[in-house]
Amino acid sequence: MRFDEGVHVGYRYYDRAGQEPLFPFGHGLSYTTFALGDLTASYGGGTLTVGVTLTNTGTRAGWQTVQLYAALPSSAGAEVRRLVGFRKVHLVAGRRTTVGIAVPAKALSVWDTSTDRWVLTPGLYTLSAGTSSRDLPVRRTITL
């Protein structure tokens, strides 16, 4: 059997094909509701540090998993976007917190076959945070 999709499996296939799955990667159900707000990002010491504001807008306590995706510069020749981090958080009703996610440089890198090593491509990186691969309401572009 021949597999030609390379890294484009699961949510990455849907991104490349422009298709909407019935249940996207990371989709979950909850007895409460959440909203995501500001996304901050800084890079230093080989780590991208991201903060995302999460608010429990419902009437009861609940869990939510914040997912962080990155779209690499087009010169990297990478997939449309990739999951680079996530964090599961419990919040009581009406509370807000900043969810911190640390992303190592390797998660943002591509394999260079000419040098046999991971390379962080210089350029613009678009960071998106949300609750599934299709629900990504907050976005920020940074230069690395």
Side-chain angles (χ1 to χ4, degrees), residues 100-126:
I101 301 173
V103 181
K106 190 173 180 181
L108 301 167
S109 300
V110 292
W111 183 255
D112 184 350
T113 57
S114 64
T115 60
D116 287 334
R117 65 183 180 96
W118 291 99
V119 175
L120 184 66
T121 305
L124 294 175
Y125 287 73
T126 301

Side-chain angles (χ1 to χ4, degrees), residues 24-71:
F25 177 75
H27 169 78
L29 299 175
S30 179
Y31 290 105
T32 191
T33 55
F34 294 90
L36 279 89
D38 296 331
L39 188 153
T40 61
S42 63
Y43 183 77
T47 301
L48 174 67
T49 305
V50 175
V52 181
T53 303
L54 178 68
T55 305
N56 182 336
T57 57
T59 58
R60 59 177 59 190
W63 291 90
Q64 184 59 275
T65 301
V66 177
Q67 300 175 26
L68 179 67
Y69 291 82

